[in-house]
Amino acid sequence: MVEDYYAYPDAHGRFGAYGGTFVAETLIAPLDELKAAYLRLRDDPAFQREFADDLKHYVGRPSPIYHAKRLSQQNGGAQILLKREDLNHTGAHKINNTVGQALVARAIGKQRIIAETGAGQHGVATATVCARFGMQCVVYMGAVDIERQKINVYRMKLLGAEVIPVTSGSQTLKDALNEALRDWVTNVADTFYIIGTVAGPHPYPMMVRDFNAVVGREARAQMLEQFGRLPDVLTACVGGGSNAIGLFHAFLNDREVRIVGAEAAGEGIATGQHAASLAAGRPGVLHGNRTYVLCDDDGQITETHSVSAGLDYPGVGPEHAFLKDSGRAEYVGVTDDEALAAFHLLCETEGILPALESSHAVAQAIKLARELPKDKLILCNLSGRGDKDVHTIAKREHIEL
Amino acid sequence: MSGRIEMRFADLRTRNRAALIPFITAGDPLPEATVAVMHALVEAGADLIELGMPFSDPMADGPVIQHADERALRNHVGIADILGWVREFRLRDDATPVVLMGYLNPIEIHGVERFARGAVAAGVDGVLIVDCPIEEDAALQPLRAAGLARILLAAPTTTDARLARALEAAEGYLYYVSFAGITGAAKLSADAIATRVSGMRRHARVPVAVGFGIKDAASAGAVAAFADAVVIGSALVDRLAGAGSPGDACRRARDFLLPVREAIRESGENP
């Protein structure tokens, strides 16, 4: 039984059995430097003030909680509330983290920024803060993802970033992460690596969580103010898990709030064509941390599938692995088809076009709502907007634009 | 511990020559060529062999070894195959130390204790796990317990305090990564690292090997002048890549390694 979920990670970056620092020797020193800098800045009121100020005036926070009444009514069960991260500058929660990490990079004097990206949202959010601070920006992106997220690739270029296609392995997010790590190990003296999710070696899972935790802190206060109580259930999509941990974190010690993460079940977990690391994977080591991974019996990481590039990842943040094992959170699969159906339903009932990633969370909220009475409140993290996915959806539904 | 690594370095010390350590990826370019290539490398002057265990996500490796891993994995090369090849190699060679090099996930999924038992039984002498630094040593404790040498890395970014810890904990030899980067990247500057390696050798209980960036006879000779061992990997793997048969692979291995060994001999004998 975990007494206090805020006691994690420990000094070694461990969330129970998960997390840690599984990297090559060359990266230990820069990670130690980053950890020292971040711990200092975390307790520095001036830094926190500047971060809060940027979140308010640049990102546009707080994001509202919106009661999706028609969706709830049509669905016929509990009330679905949406935390509108899609209304942030650049269109997703990803900007919370990149604003924070750019401030850290500036504080330790690094002028060259690298990032990996899957759907392109983190790449765009990184290119955005680099433009704002006049920093050089290099984004690694799998060649497959470049094809499915052309609009975001162009956005990054408009923002002055260099987008480098990654053609190794499955040519998706995990390979972009490998390539970014290779760049970092080579250019470690002047380069800051802005990881886009709560994975990677310590201190990234902690730091990225802290920067996204504003989502849950806001949501908790908004719930008390707007509804006079906490939600009954939280749900969010989980790829690497940064938007999910961002929402969940402020509620971890509120044991009465049920927490459900929605992973990408792709064409169905039974088909093997999915990216549900927690629901269908096993503990292993990938990209610098111990966590649940999707791999074969030889320990080779397997290729994943999801209609949404942002969830197409064979690992997951170590804190989610810890929350799963401790029983604090449940993780379930949502298929491509279910996510697509939720996408259309939200468009048609509420006039909100969600990202394909976030559509997984919406689908899960719809499922949960059906099982619960009308007076229950489900808070769903609408982590991003779907403009970037319009081409993917049209193509999937055989529509020529 | 098997003692092969210690015996080999002790022998080389009496001859005042640096060790030559070629690296190949197990199962590449042809699974049936691995054992034959290991013997060919020994015939051409290898003092110790590092055998890479392929991994789907080799984040510390450059494109050459990454592609070698991909080729090996297309042939479904796994730990059982690799241990089998070491066992077969040992039938004809009981003296040349063999070190397995790879990433943690395949070993953990195989089972660390099971891996340790299998490796010892096959005749493996040491293990170098790239993504398991000294902070995460607990993960590999069963390897030490089984008597396998835990080879540790040091890098240009390693602080003096950490280096002292690594020198204390290192078994077999300490692998010094000559520059911050991935395998097979830029050419190294021997002069720049000579001072640091010489300093490390004064404090080390184990020999200090230098790898990354050593591409040919000239760079190997330059490093051999101040290191206990020279590791050469990507350039060799690249040479083997196009081999069409085990015989062809052995020929390529010998042709590559002979001049490298010549350069080391000269530099050791005329310091």
Side-chain angles (χ1 to χ4, degrees), chain B residues 205-224:
Chain B
R205 295 179 298 110
V206 292
V208 178
V210 174
F212 281 43
I214 299 162
K215 287 182 155 36
D216 48 25
S219 48
V223 169

Side-chain angles (χ1 to χ4, degrees), chain A residues 265-268 305-307 334-344 356 359-360 363 396-397:
Chain A
E267 292 174 12
H305 167 82
S306 170
V307 67
V334 169
T335 64
D336 288 350
D337 287 345
E338 290 169 329
L340 260 297
F343 169 89
H344 285 298
L356 278 175
S359 299
H360 288 71
R396 199 182 152 91
E397 296 175 351

Side-chain angles (χ1 to χ4, degrees), chain B residues 71-230:
Chain B
R71 286 190 296 269
L73 291 177
R74 274 200 289 277
N75 287 313
H76 305 288
V77 170
I79 286 173
D81 302 300
I82 298 166
L83 297 181
W85 292 329
V86 176
R87 201 177 306 118
E88 196 184 329
F89 173 76
R90 283 274 170 257
L91 296 176
R92 270 181 55 202
D93 188 331
D94 197 37
T96 307
V98 174
V99 167
L100 298 182
M101 189 166 176
Y103 293 80
L104 192 51
N105 199 58
I107 292 177
E108 288 213 340
I109 298 300
H110 186 82
V112 180
E113 288 186 19
R114 179 178 164 220
F115 172 79
R117 278 196 308 274
V120 169
V124 172
D125 302 287
V127 178
L128 196 173
I129 303 302
V130 181
D131 57 351
C132 193
I134 195 164
E135 282 77 3
E136 304 292 354
D137 206 43
L140 293 179
Q141 208 47 51
L143 301 188
R144 285 185 197 269
L148 293 161
R150 160 103 148 99
I151 315 290
L152 290 170
L153 293 162
T157 53
T158 304
T159 59
D160 290 343
R162 266 182 67 75
L163 186 60
R165 218 176 133 194
L167 289 171
E168 190 56 39
E171 296 172 335
Y173 54 94
L174 185 74
Y175 187 130
Y176 184 68
V177 174
S178 65
F179 58 84
I182 48 177
T183 55
K187 264 193 156 162
L188 87 171
S189 145
D191 292 348
I193 58 168
T195 319
R196 185 131 206 242
V197 171
S198 302
M200 286 163 59
R201 287 180 70 198
R202 274 196 296 280
H203 297 104
R205 295 179 298 110
V206 292
V208 178
V210 174
F212 281 43
I214 299 162
K215 287 182 155 36
D216 48 25
S219 48
V223 169
F226 57 82
D228 294 305
V230 176

